[in-house]
Coordinates of all heavy atoms in Angstrom, one line a residue:
L397 N 1.0 -16.0 33.4 CA 2.4 -16.3 33.0 C 2.7 -17.7 32.6 O 3.8 -18.1 32.2 CB 3.3 -15.8 34.1 CG 3.4 -14.3 34.4 CD1 4.3 -14.0 35.6 CD2 3.8 -13.6 33.2
D398 N 1.7 -18.6 32.8 CA 1.8 -20.0 32.4 C 2.1 -20.0 30.9 O 1.4 -19.3 30.1 CB 0.6 -20.8 32.6 CG 0.5 -21.5 34.0 OD1 1.5 -21.4 34.7 OD2 -0.5 -22.1 34.3
V399 N 3.1 -20.7 30.4 CA 3.3 -20.9 29.0 C 3.3 -22.4 28.7 O 4.3 -22.9 28.2 CB 4.6 -20.1 28.5 CG1 4.4 -18.6 28.4 CG2 5.8 -20.5 29.4
K400 N 2.2 -23.0 29.1 CA 2.1 -24.5 28.9 C 2.3 -24.8 27.5 O 1.8 -24.1 26.6 CB 0.8 -24.9 29.5 CG 0.7 -24.8 31.0 CD -0.6 -25.3 31.5 CE -0.7 -25.1 33.0 NZ -2.0 -25.2 33.5
P401 N 2.9 -25.9 27.1 CA 3.5 -26.9 28.0 C 4.9 -26.6 28.4 O 5.6 -27.4 29.1 CB 3.4 -28.1 27.2 CG 3.6 -27.6 25.8 CD 3.0 -26.3 25.7
L402 N 5.5 -25.4 28.0 CA 6.9 -25.2 28.2 C 7.3 -24.9 29.7 O 8.3 -25.3 30.2 CB 7.4 -24.0 27.3 CG 7.2 -24.2 25.8 CD1 7.6 -22.9 25.1 CD2 8.0 -25.4 25.4
A403 N 6.5 -24.1 30.3 CA 6.8 -23.7 31.7 C 5.5 -23.4 32.5 O 4.4 -23.1 31.9 CB 7.7 -22.5 31.8
I404 N 5.5 -23.5 33.8 CA 4.3 -23.4 34.6 C 4.6 -22.5 35.8 O 5.7 -22.4 36.3 CB 4.0 -24.8 35.2 CG1 3.9 -25.8 34.1 CG2 2.8 -24.8 36.1 CD1 4.0 -27.3 34.5
M405 N 3.5 -21.7 36.1 CA 3.5 -20.8 37.3 C 2.8 -21.5 38.4 O 1.7 -22.0 38.2 CB 2.9 -19.5 37.0 CG 2.7 -18.5 38.1 SD 4.2 -18.0 38.9 CE 4.9 -16.8 37.7
H406 N 3.4 -21.6 39.6 CA 2.8 -22.2 40.8 C 2.8 -21.1 41.9 O 3.7 -20.3 42.0 CB 3.6 -23.4 41.3 CG 3.4 -24.6 40.4 ND1 2.3 -25.4 40.4 CD2 4.3 -25.1 39.6 CE1 2.5 -26.4 39.5 NE2 3.7 -26.2 39.0
R407 N 1.8 -21.3 42.8 CA 1.7 -20.4 43.9 C 2.6 -20.9 45.1 O 2.7 -22.1 45.3 CB 0.3 -20.3 44.4 CG 0.0 -19.2 45.4 CD -1.4 -18.9 45.6 NE -1.6 -17.8 46.6 CZ -2.6 -17.7 47.4 NH1 -3.6 -18.6 47.3 NH2 -2.7 -16.7 48.2
V408 N 3.2 -20.0 45.8 CA 4.0 -20.3 47.0 C 3.0 -20.1 48.2 O 2.3 -19.2 48.2 CB 5.2 -19.4 47.1 CG1 6.0 -19.8 48.4 CG2 6.1 -19.6 45.9
D409 N 3.1 -21.1 49.1 CA 2.2 -21.1 50.3 C 2.3 -19.8 51.0 O 3.4 -19.3 51.4 CB 2.7 -22.2 51.2 CG 1.7 -22.5 52.3 OD1 0.9 -21.6 52.7 OD2 1.7 -23.6 52.8
P410 N 1.2 -19.1 51.2 CA 1.2 -17.8 51.9 C 1.6 -17.9 53.3 O 2.0 -16.9 53.9 CB -0.3 -17.3 51.8 CG -1.0 -18.2 50.9 CD -0.1 -19.4 50.7
A411 N 1.6 -19.1 53.9 CA 2.1 -19.3 55.2 C 3.7 -19.1 55.3 O 4.2 -18.8 56.3 CB 1.8 -20.7 55.8
D412 N 4.3 -19.3 54.1 CA 5.8 -19.1 54.0 C 6.1 -17.8 53.4 O 7.0 -17.1 53.9 CB 6.4 -20.2 53.2 CG 6.4 -21.6 53.8 OD1 6.3 -21.6 55.1 OD2 6.6 -22.6 53.1
A413 N 5.6 -17.5 52.3 CA 6.0 -16.3 51.5 C 5.2 -15.1 51.9 O 3.9 -15.1 52.0 CB 5.8 -16.6 50.0

Side-chain angles (χ1 to χ4, degrees):
L397 295 179
D398 270 355
V399 286
K400 291 178 182 165
L402 301 175
I404 304 160
M405 174 61 74
H406 288 285
R407 189 168 182 211
V408 178
D409 190 336
D412 288 341

